[in-house]
Structure formats: C-alpha cells, structure tokens
Amino acid sequence: MPVIRTSLAVFALALAVACASAPPPGPPFAERLAAAKAESNPYAMDAVLSELVADTSLATADRAEALYERGSLRRLDGDNRRGAVADFEDMLALAPDHPKAEQARIELGQAKQDADALEVRIQYLLTLSQWFDASWALGERDVPANRFRASGLNPNQTQTRKLQDAGFLCGEAGEGGPVQTLGDPRPWLEDMTWCAPPAAD
C-alpha cells in the first residue's frame, strides 16, 4: 500500500508540473488571420502573416492558407513578386487540394509573369527612380533604399510612402539626417528624415 501511495503521489506531481509548464492555448487561426489582414500597412501585414507561416503548431490547411494570403499580398500591395511566386509554390506543394489551390495557381501564373518582366526590365539602363520601382516590386528593400539615400536625389511621393511604410523614413524622429539634401523643396519630404544613420562600410 505505501508503494501505491508513493507512485500515485509521483504521478500527481508529474501531472501538476506538466500542466503548469504547458503554455496556454493561443487565439484560433481564423482570429489571428483576421488580425493580420486588418493591418493597413502592407509591410506590417506581411510581417504578421510571416509569423503565422512560421508557426509550427499550425495545421497543414491553416499554414497553406497563410501562405496563400501572404502570396496574394506580395503579388500586389506587398511589392514582392519573387516572394509571391515562392509562397504560391510552397502553398501548392503543401496542400494541392486546398479550397484556394485553384486561385493560387492563377495568381502564381500572374506573379511569375510580373516577376519575369521586372527581371528583364532591371537589366536595362534605368533612371534611379525607375530602377527603384522595379527592384522594390521584386522584393528588394535595403539596396534600393540605400541607393536612394546615397544619391541625395528625391524619392517621389509614392516612393516616399513606401519607404516610410517599410520603416526607412521616420518623419521628424529619425537619426539619419534629412531625406532631401538637393534640389527645390518637395512638400512631401518636409521634415522627413532617414530612420537610422547609414551603416558603416
């Protein structure tokens, strides 16, 4: 009898430790996906969707849907055609019979077409502004931002918004100096600064 009591006590203690160390369940996938899609900044939305994709606890169908949503974002507002192609391909390899698989195949074809055209375009002699647009749409971030910064030229209003949304420009709060250093004043660059000092070579 003492042996049984001891075994029961050990089992109860182990169960209590296991329960205490188990993390509480997170919000359901549908709720997390809705929160990601509610982000108004496309680059912030991409970051939240990337957290979902990286969550190893997700069911296969849920991860496939997260890949589809990120691919669809990257094909359009998220400005990452290369990433869109990879996401749709990964989604279809993971769950070829997913309810959104057919739409993913359509969007994969569109993303590939866009990416191929941009890859060709970027090989030609382009102005900095044209090269920035093509490079950014392919999913590049640091290189086009740093090239604009080093040139001293002015990004246009759309480029300024993208740089700001992606975290390169900080309004008045940046520590990297003013964006506009040359030319006539541009209203959209007034009080606009680079977020951080340039990286050391």
Side-chain angles (χ1 to χ4, degrees):
M1 192 67 69
V3 173
I4 295 175
R5 288 199 188 97
T6 302
S7 299
L8 287 174
V10 170
F11 175 76
L13 179 61
L15 184 62
V17 169
C19 291
S21 61
F29 172 75
E31 185 177 319
R32 296 171 68 189
L33 183 62
K37 294 171 71 173
E39 290 281 355
S40 58
N41 180 328
Y43 309 115
M45 187 187 303
D46 187 296
V48 180
L49 287 171
S50 294
E51 290 178 5
L52 268 180
V53 169
D55 186 347
T56 57
S57 70
L58 286 185
T60 298
D62 291 343
R63 178 172 289 103
E65 184 163 359
L67 280 165
Y68 169 80
E69 293 294 347
R70 190 176 68 175
S72 193
L73 169 71
R74 289 176 169 182
R75 187 177 73 82
L76 298 171
D77 294 340
D79 292 311
N80 186 351
R81 304 312 190 276
R82 290 173 182 150
V85 170
D87 280 349
F88 290 132
E89 289 179 340
D90 288 348
M91 183 262 190
L92 291 168
L94 183 65
D97 297 323
H98 191 277
K100 294 185 178 178
E102 188 55 37
Q103 181 62 27
R105 292 185 182 94
I106 294 171
E107 293 194 50
L108 172 59
Q110 294 168 334
K112 280 184 173 179
Q113 187 175 22
D114 290 347
D116 289 345
L118 288 164
E119 297 282 9
V120 170
R121 177 172 172 74
I122 210 166
Q123 301 305 315
Y124 288 88
L125 293 174
L126 303 172
T127 66
L128 175 58
S129 183
Q130 291 168 337
W131 178 87
F132 175 94
D133 289 343
S135 181
W136 193 271
L138 281 168
E140 298 288 343
R141 295 292 179 264
D142 290 342
V143 173
N146 290 337
R147 188 171 293 185
F148 240 130
R149 178 180 193 153
S151 74
L153 299 177
N154 301 317
N156 62 34
Q157 288 176 277
T158 299
Q159 293 160 346
T160 298
R161 176 184 54 77
K162 290 182 178 184
L163 286 164
Q164 190 169 20
D165 285 348
F168 291 98
L169 302 185
C170 286
E172 298 180 5
E175 300 178 355
V179 176
Q180 181 164 6
T181 57
L182 299 173
D184 297 331
R186 302 294 195 272
W188 61 89
L189 294 177
E190 184 177 358
D191 298 325
M192 191 68 68
T193 60
W194 294 98
C195 291
D201 294 333

